[in-house]
Amino acid sequence: MSFSLSTLRSAIRDYTEVDDTVLSDSIINTIVKNAESRIFRTVDSDDTKFYAVSQTTIGNRYITVPTGTRIIRYVQITDNSTSDQEFLKQVDSSFIATYHPDPDNSSDRGKPKYFAHWDNDNWVVAPTPDASYVLTMAYIKQPTTLTTSNSTTTEISTKQPDLLLYACLVEAYGFLKGPMDMLTLYEQKYKQEVDKFGVEQIGRRRRDDYTDGAVRITIPSTTP
């Protein structure tokens, strides 16, 4: 089973037994977005990982952040002349100011070693680049919402439909202000599903049988 926006709207109205005069399309869209955001902030899932390639500019210490970036995972720099690859170390902007106090000094340029958040749209690197270097940026952003169109599906709505539905029902009963027993029920169901999702994404998908061995559980047996 998977959900599109239209089928998810119908499911929410069916479960809450409330029609579209109360849970209008626009209200449900907000409910879905809130549910998606809650899941996004709870589980580090692989569908939130993205990559972008950029290049430094000689004398320019600022790097434009990819659109929608929430979290930086790592930044890798490649020296075009040698093809050597290294990881930049993330630091605070105050460290950058101390480490490289005269960024406009052309004689003090070099291959960047550090990066920091400068503002919502830019990073800052140090030292100021002395050449054009390739930057491979791994980052996390919130995936496209299900509410873009009625027929759209997403990774969560396709592979974790129960999790998305229960998250939406928690939001829906919160909007409807009860009944509290149903809100509690679906909050518990949401937590059960998000735990399973977390085990899959943060646990099982971060290991392999060769390196870590197959996952085993203890099977109780009665002593003969």
Side-chain angles (χ1 to χ4, degrees), residues 9-211:
R9 282 172 177 162
S10 297
I12 293 170
R13 288 168 181 150
D14 289 344
Y15 273 78
T16 58
E17 298 182 325
V18 176
D19 62 24
D20 59 5
T21 59
V22 177
L23 291 178
S24 64
D25 287 355
S26 62
I27 289 174
I28 288 185
N29 283 359
T30 300
I31 286 171
V32 172
K33 289 179 182 178
N34 289 345
E36 290 171 331
S37 293
R38 184 177 189 184
I39 295 169
F40 168 77
R41 290 186 174 94
T42 303
V43 180
D44 178 25
S45 64
D46 289 340
D47 67 309
T48 66
K49 296 179 179 179
F50 295 84
Y51 301 85
V53 176
S54 182
Q55 284 192 321
T56 63
T57 303
I58 297 174
N60 182 7
R61 63 183 182 135
Y62 300 105
I63 308 297
T64 302
V65 176
T67 302
T69 298
R70 295 288 190 89
I71 299 169
I72 303 169
R73 295 175 54 227
Y74 64 81
V75 180
Q76 188 179 49
I77 188 169
T78 302
D79 190 324
N80 291 332
S81 61
T82 63
S83 297
D84 290 340
Q85 295 181 329
E86 299 176 13
F87 289 96
L88 299 186
K89 184 176 180 180
Q90 185 174 4
V91 296
D92 190 78
S93 58
S94 61
F95 177 92
I96 297 284
T98 303
Y99 171 78
H100 197 53
D102 192 9
D104 297 326
N105 186 348
S106 60
S107 64
D108 200 23
R109 295 172 183 170
K111 182 179 179 181
K113 297 180 180 180
Y114 304 99
F115 78 96
H117 289 280
W118 184 256
D119 56 31
N120 194 50
D121 300 315
N122 297 279
W123 302 332
V124 60
V125 298
T128 300
D130 63 343
S132 177
Y133 299 98
V134 175
L135 296 178
T136 301
M137 299 169 282
Y139 61 100
I140 290 175
K141 72 173 184 178
Q142 189 161 341
T144 302
T145 175
L146 186 68
T147 61
T148 54
S149 72
N150 285 341
S151 58
T152 295
T153 58
T154 64
E155 187 79 6
I156 293 295
S157 76
T158 301
K159 295 184 178 179
Q160 304 292 333
D162 291 347
L163 173 60
L164 179 59
L165 175 61
Y166 294 145
C168 288
L169 290 174
V170 171
E171 295 292 329
Y173 278 110
F175 170 78
L176 295 170
K177 298 177 178 59
M180 289 306 298
D181 59 334
M182 300 304 295
L183 177 59
T184 300
L185 170 66
Y186 288 117
E187 184 70 57
Q188 291 172 346
K189 287 185 174 292
Y190 166 77
K191 289 179 179 178
Q192 291 171 356
E193 291 301 319
V194 85
D195 286 346
K196 295 176 186 176
F197 187 41
V199 168
E200 174 191 295
Q201 293 291 316
I202 305 174
R204 297 178 66 187
R205 288 178 66 93
R206 303 294 194 271
R207 56 178 291 147
D208 65 79
D209 288 356
Y210 177 77
T211 304

